[in-house]
Amino acid sequence: MAIGFFLYVLPGIQEYGAAVSYRFGFLMAIVFFYLYNRQPGKRNAFIKWSFYWFYPAHLVLLLLLSTFFL
């Protein structure tokens, strides 16, 4: 965590100011590392195909939102 802060966050804040607060997003990974229990997750067809469909569907949704609201 300290490496990410000193090599990624701090130089961005010094160069661009507080507008780069999105760089703190690397801290969200800590939750996933903490919850990792070295066990494989559930494996079924629904979960597999829902991930395949979610990605293009959310891109289309973002495109529609940007088209109508920007």
Side-chain angles (χ1 to χ4, degrees):
M1 183 167 95
I3 294 172
F5 181 78
F6 287 113
L7 295 179
Y8 183 66
V9 176
L10 199 57
I13 291 174
Q14 289 174 347
E15 186 174 345
Y16 300 110
V20 294
S21 60
Y22 65 87
R23 289 180 175 239
F24 287 101
F26 82 96
L27 295 172
M28 292 188 301
I30 293 172
V31 175
F32 294 106
F33 289 140
Y34 178 75
L35 295 174
Y36 179 62
N37 61 3
R38 299 179 190 235
Q39 299 291 325
K42 295 180 182 178
R43 297 174 191 239
N44 61 29
F46 175 75
I47 292 175
K48 174 185 173 183
W49 289 106
S50 64
F51 281 106
Y52 279 117
W53 283 98
F54 173 78
Y55 185 74
H58 99 278
L59 290 179
V60 170
L61 178 66
L62 291 174
L63 175 68
L64 292 173
L65 288 173
S66 69
T67 302
F68 291 116
F69 292 110
L70 291 181

